[in-house]
Amino acid sequence: MQFRFGLSYILVIVGVLLLLNTYPLLASEDLVFRSKTATMQSGISVMINSLSGLDRLTEENVASVMAIAQDTPFSRIMVTDGTGLVLFDSRETGSAVGDYALFAEIVQALLGFDASSCTYQGGAFRSRAASPVLYQNQIIGAVYAYEYDTEQAALLSDLQSNLLRLSGVIGVVVLVLSLILSKALTQKIGLLLTAIREVREGAYSHRAEIRGRDEIAQIGQEFNSLTDRLQTTETARRRFVSDASHELKTPLAAIRLLSDSILQTENIDPETTREFVSDIGREAERLSRITEDLLRLTRLDSGILEAATEVDVLPVLEQVMRMMSLVAQEKEVDLTYSAAEDCTVMATKDEIHQVIYNLTDNAIKYSASGGAVQVSLSLEDKQVVLSVADHGVGIPEADLPRIFERFYRVDKARSRAAGGTGLGLSIVSDTVKRRGGTVEAANRPEGGAVFTVRWPQLLHPEGGEMV
Ligand code: ADP
């Protein structure tokens, strides 16, 4: 990636530098060519004017006219007759007088055209121009001028070498900058990649340390917060698996111990055998309760919800109360309830049953014999409120925030003795939250605990139809 970034920077800058080194030079060259052509043409036209009075060109009359025009700035001036024979040549050594000078420009001029050309080569501008000399519209000869200029050429080559130097400096600066920038960029991406790989391999505590505020740093921060959540979930999952296996191991160990005792004790009396087998039965029941609760929680975790229907909570409450009154009687706990009308929520009957059952079961379980449990169903601010209050042991304040966690129990031995799995409140909390409700636990000032569940009430319009 660094290579590709670097290469693209370099390609762009090479393009810019090529343009910088060609366009201004070509433009200046063209400017010089044009100004040279104009100067040559005007110089030649002055000479043509001087020759225009002659009806015929001879060496003598041309020489006398040209003697006056001698101070022209050109390097060489030649005048030919109508056949291209040189009559005058400003060059003294190697004079072409008497020879035919059939240069391209002279030929053009003898055909009646103004001709000019300019080249830049070997550090000099070479300009050539020729025009016809006319007498009564007859071409009687041509004037040819040549200029060899190194002064402007030196200026142009100065400009060229300055541009080259400047390009060199720009090229080096851009190269260094592009290297630094692309390295910084790829370094950040490298850090992010390393972090992703580490986390993928299970190192959930690894974080991407990317400084700055650019997009890559933001991706790094997002990745870190994602990893935070992953770490929390992973920790919870591990704790859950270890708690669950521990919970399952305990009754299994008891079953094994009891069955071993029956098998290994010689002449065991039928009464003891019956007692041990009944203990085995109780432990097996506990195992099935735990697995049932675990299955229920797994279903809640999977997020697949049974379709909610309109549920009137009152009949469900009455059904649970009928069921629990026997348990309460057995424990000599006074179970009473009060209910308001029109407590309709969107959920399933099973869910409502589960919530009321778990809370009432706990309230009776953690009440001493002779205690009382009050269940009430009411409407408050478009919410259906279920409250289960007892006069039992209550919950230590420090444990209150944690009692909805899976397998969390204030008093393990007491919970086990009462047949608890430590999952009842988690199921209540997850079930209620999934339907947009809340659940909270508190201690009553007069002693005992109170659990309050709130579901959004399903409102009916005046016509009695569902909203
Ligand atoms: P368990 O199966 O142990 O009852 P729960 O999830 O239902 O598990 O409850 C978690 C813990 O919260 C219990 O072990 C108990 O310590 C405490 N708890 C729940 N309900 C009550 C209550 N009504 N009074 C006192 N403590 C309670």
Side-chain angles (χ1 to χ4, degrees), residues 262-450:
I262 297 171
L263 288 174
Q264 282 161 15
T265 315
E266 276 182 28
N267 303 325
I268 188 165
D269 64 287
E271 193 51 37
T272 319
T273 312
R274 190 181 297 276
E275 205 178 298
F276 281 11
V277 171
S278 123
D279 285 349
I280 289 175
R282 213 177 34 249
E283 292 300 330
E285 205 180 297
R286 209 169 120 63
L287 268 180
S288 83
R289 258 201 317 275
I290 296 176
T291 44
E292 251 172 51
D293 280 357
L294 282 174
L295 272 176
R296 197 163 282 131
L297 277 171
T298 314
R299 266 200 299 272
L300 283 165
D301 279 347
S302 73
I304 304 162
L305 285 175
E306 222 177 285
T309 52
E310 189 182 344
V311 181
D312 185 359
V313 183
L314 183 56
V316 186
L317 173 72
E318 284 168 343
Q319 192 191 351
V320 179
M321 289 300 113
R322 271 197 300 279
M323 209 170 123
M324 295 311 287
S325 62
L326 298 172
V327 186
Q329 255 172 35
E330 216 169 278
K331 236 197 128 178
E332 292 174 3
V333 170
D334 181 29
L335 175 65
T336 53
Y337 72 94
S338 64
E341 293 280 312
D342 209 19
C343 292
T344 312
V345 297
M346 281 303 280
T348 66
K349 264 194 184 143
D350 272 357
E351 287 169 7
I352 305 289
H353 189 283
Q354 185 79 51
V355 170
I356 305 176
Y357 176 88
N358 282 11
L359 292 179
T360 316
D361 184 46
N362 275 352
I364 299 172
K365 221 160 56 179
Y366 298 104
S367 284
S369 101
V373 171
Q374 283 118 20
V375 181
S376 84
L377 186 65
S378 58
L379 284 173
E380 251 177 56
D381 287 341
K382 295 179 185 165
Q383 283 182 322
V384 172
V385 182
L386 172 82
S387 135
V388 181
D390 60 54
H391 294 81
V393 290
I395 302 157
E397 289 298 318
D399 295 299
L400 269 179
R402 300 198 58 190
I403 52 165
F404 292 102
E405 287 176 18
R406 292 167 188 196
F407 295 114
Y408 191 82
R409 292 131 152 174
V410 176
D411 181 348
K412 267 195 193 310
R414 189 187 174 122
S415 156
R416 275 216 192 92
T421 61
L423 296 170
L425 286 183
S426 311
I427 293 173
V428 169
S429 159
D430 285 9
T431 311
V432 170
K433 281 183 189 157
R434 292 253 153 187
R435 298 295 180 193
T438 59
V439 56
E440 56 194 43
N443 283 312
R444 286 157 24 105
E446 57 271 46
V450 57

